[in-house]
Amino acid sequence: QVQLVESGGGLVQAGGSLRLSCAASGRLFNMYGMGWFRQAPGKEREFLATIILSGSRPYYADSVKGRFAISRDNAKNTVYLQMNSLKSEDTAVYYCATTTQIGIVRSPSAYDYWGQGTQVTVSS
C-alpha cells in the first residue's frame, strides 16, 4: 500500500501562485512515476503533469504548460506542483497519484494510488 497526502491548496486571486505538495509513504519501491490531476465540478478528471521518479524530464498537459511546474524531492518522497499565473478556470480539486507503468502516463486509470485531494479556488 502507498499513502499519498496532498497539501497547499487554498483560495488565491487570479494571477497568483500556489505550490501543492504530495507526500508519499508506505511501499514505494514499485513506484515509477507520479502525476498531478484535477477535477472541477461536473467535469472529468484532467491530467496535468507527470514526472519519473528516477530521472528524465517532466511532461505537461498543454493546458498548463508554461504555467505549472512539477518537481520532486526523492529524499522526502515528496512531489510538488508549482502553479503560477492562476486563472479562474484552474479552480478544482487537485490530486496526486502514483503509477508503476513505464513511460509518460496520462490516463487516470493507469495510476494505482491517489491522495484525498486538495481544493484550489481562484477568484477573478
Side-chain angles (χ1 to χ4, degrees):
Q1 288 284 347
V2 173
Q3 294 79 41
L4 303 173
V5 179
E6 301 101 335
S7 60
L11 175 64
V12 63
Q13 288 188 335
S17 299
L18 281 175
R19 189 177 81 153
L20 306 182
S21 300
C22 174
S25 61
R27 299 171 66 87
L28 307 178
F29 56 88
N30 277 339
M31 282 187 356
Y32 181 79
M34 293 186 72
W36 283 98
F37 295 78
R38 68 186 177 191
Q39 190 164 19
K43 295 189 176 181
E44 294 186 352
R45 192 161 295 191
E46 177 189 9
F47 166 79
L48 300 176
T50 187
I51 190 165
I52 297 171
L53 299 179
S54 61
S56 188
R57 64 182 181 182
Y59 181 84
Y60 299 96
D62 289 342
S63 59
V64 301
K65 195 176 297 182
R67 297 192 299 125
F68 290 11
I70 188 172
S71 61
R72 69 183 191 275
D73 184 336
N74 287 350
K76 296 181 178 179
N77 292 325
T78 299
V79 173
Y80 305 96
L81 186 68
Q82 177 68 43
M83 305 187 295
N84 300 323
S85 302
L86 285 163
K87 308 173 184 179
S88 57
E89 51 262 46
D90 294 319
T91 295
V93 178
Y94 284 68
Y95 299 90
C96 65
T98 67
T99 182
T100 58
Q101 291 196 19
I102 296 173
I104 298 170
V105 185
R106 290 167 285 185
S107 172
S109 63
Y111 285 77
D112 307 294
Y113 296 98
W114 293 81
Q116 81 288 352
T118 185
Q119 177 70 46
V120 172
T121 302
V122 184
S123 63
S124 56

